Amino acid sequence: MKKNEHNRSIIDQFTKQATPFAELKFHSNQSKFQLMYDLSGVNKDDTVLDIACGPGLVTTAFATKAKHVTGIDITPAMIEKAKEIQKDKNLENITWKIGDVTNLPFDDESFSMVITRYSFHHFIEPEMVFKEMKRVCKKGGKIMVVDVAIPPEKRNAYDHLEKLRDPSHTHACTLEELLDIADKLELTNIKTQWYKLEAELEKQIKASFPNPGDDKKIRKLVTEDIGRDNLGINAHLIDGSIYFDYPTVILVAVKPK
């Protein structure tokens, strides 16, 4: 898929998802934010860039810990939702920008920390985005990527499922791929930590906008995977409802001085 066509797909999907995405409680789980704080070591001296920030859930969370946070996203509706959340939280140390994260509109070494969450599986060229994150990060600064990471042998099945749910999905990276990119970029002090993000299937489908008929395919695939885990998401039942886990990795690295 060409870049412009893919960007249109992202904007289409996330214009519709802006409000429901922000309202899914598991996206604002405080224990998961705490893991990000702890692994990144964010503090009041940090100037942070949150790329592909969506409705600003991570941006506003980090704004409570950092000196200043800038959030950038390609979808105007997401930025508008982010501004609403910022206002509700009464935070002033935030700047918002609309833009393409594959070519960040910032000077080299502009931020002490550059972060992103749940975005890499939407990028056609994740290595290019990772490279841009390094470029705008100060020497000695930290880069953090948080995303679903699927075992290699299960990724094709998982990608098929996610493309049904969200046509703007490209592919889920494996941990090995993320580590390989970090190595190519000569980043140092690499740390990783896993967590599981549990989601209820029907709520996730409702918050997404699959093409007509694909919701039935999603239900069938996930239901049939209970007890098998060929999709890598540990589909399971709780009180008669189907749940699953997004296996998520936090990767933090340092840009050498």
Side-chain angles (χ1 to χ4, degrees):
M1 184 182 291
K2 294 180 180 180
K3 179 181 175 180
N4 289 342
E5 181 183 352
H6 181 61
N7 285 348
R8 285 194 295 272
S9 175
I10 291 174
I11 293 170
D12 175 66
Q13 277 293 315
F14 285 95
T15 296
K16 292 181 287 190
Q17 288 189 36
T19 296
F21 184 98
E23 292 178 350
L24 285 172
K25 292 183 179 180
F26 65 79
H27 285 318
S28 297
N29 185 292
Q30 291 301 311
S31 67
K32 305 304 188 291
F33 286 145
Q34 190 62 51
L35 287 175
M36 295 173 69
Y37 301 150
D38 292 345
L39 209 59
S40 68
V42 62
N43 62 61
K44 286 297 183 182
D45 293 326
D46 279 311
T47 53
V48 181
L49 174 64
D50 181 14
I51 75 159
C53 66
L57 302 178
V58 171
T59 314
T60 52
F62 268 69
T64 65
K65 304 292 183 180
K67 180 179 180 181
H68 190 274
V69 185
T70 299
I72 181 171
D73 199 276
I74 198 172
T75 305
M78 279 291 191
I79 294 297
E80 289 306 309
K81 186 64 180 178
K83 290 178 179 178
E84 292 177 13
I85 292 173
Q86 176 191 3
K87 184 177 179 181
D88 289 343
K89 293 186 176 182
N90 195 30
L91 295 166
E92 297 184 357
N93 59 331
I94 299 175
T95 300
W96 304 106
K97 288 187 178 293
I98 298 170
D100 184 350
V101 300
T102 62
N103 185 21
L104 292 169
F106 306 107
D107 293 335
D108 295 356
E109 301 180 26
S110 294
F111 304 91
S112 67
M113 187 175 293
V114 185
I115 65 179
T116 188
R117 187 181 75 159
Y118 308 151
S119 65
F120 261 50
H121 60 273
H122 290 291
F123 301 145
I124 296 175
E125 297 179 283
E127 186 170 343
M128 179 186 296
V129 179
F130 218 144
K131 187 175 181 179
E132 276 290 278
M133 293 174 72
K134 178 188 176 184
R135 179 183 67 78
V136 301
C137 185
K138 294 179 179 179
K139 292 176 181 178
K142 293 181 179 178
I143 299 167
M144 179 166 65
V145 174
V146 184
D147 205 5
V148 175
I150 298 292
E153 70 276 10
K154 299 181 180 183
R155 188 175 66 176
N156 287 342
Y158 174 82
D159 283 345
H160 173 64
L161 174 71
E162 278 295 279
K163 286 175 182 178
L164 289 174
R165 186 186 66 81
D166 178 357
S168 69
H169 176 91
T170 55
H171 65 274
C173 290
T174 64
L175 174 58
E176 291 75 17
E177 286 174 324
L178 292 173
L179 291 172
D180 182 58
I181 296 173
D183 184 60
K184 286 180 180 179
L185 295 176
E186 300 180 331
L187 301 179
T188 63
N189 298 344
I190 298 171
K191 298 178 182 179
T192 61
Q193 184 165 337
W194 289 90
Y195 67 82
K196 291 183 179 180
L197 193 70
E198 188 178 63
E200 198 270 316
L201 179 62
E202 290 304 319
K203 288 182 180 178
Q204 183 70 332
I205 292 174
K206 187 177 180 180
S208 309
F209 293 86
N211 291 321
D214 282 350
D215 56 331
K216 295 179 181 179
K217 296 177 184 178
I218 294 166
R219 291 187 185 94
K220 184 174 186 294
L221 285 170
V222 178
T223 300
E224 291 177 348
D225 201 46
I226 296 174
R228 298 180 181 179
D229 199 28
N230 293 322
L231 298 169
I233 57 172
N234 184 36
H236 54 282
L237 290 171
I238 299 179
D239 297 330
S241 296
I242 300 174
Y243 285 75
F244 62 94
D245 300 325
Y246 285 116
T248 305
V249 70
I250 304 173
L251 184 152
V252 176
V254 175
K255 180 176 177 177
K257 292 184 178 179

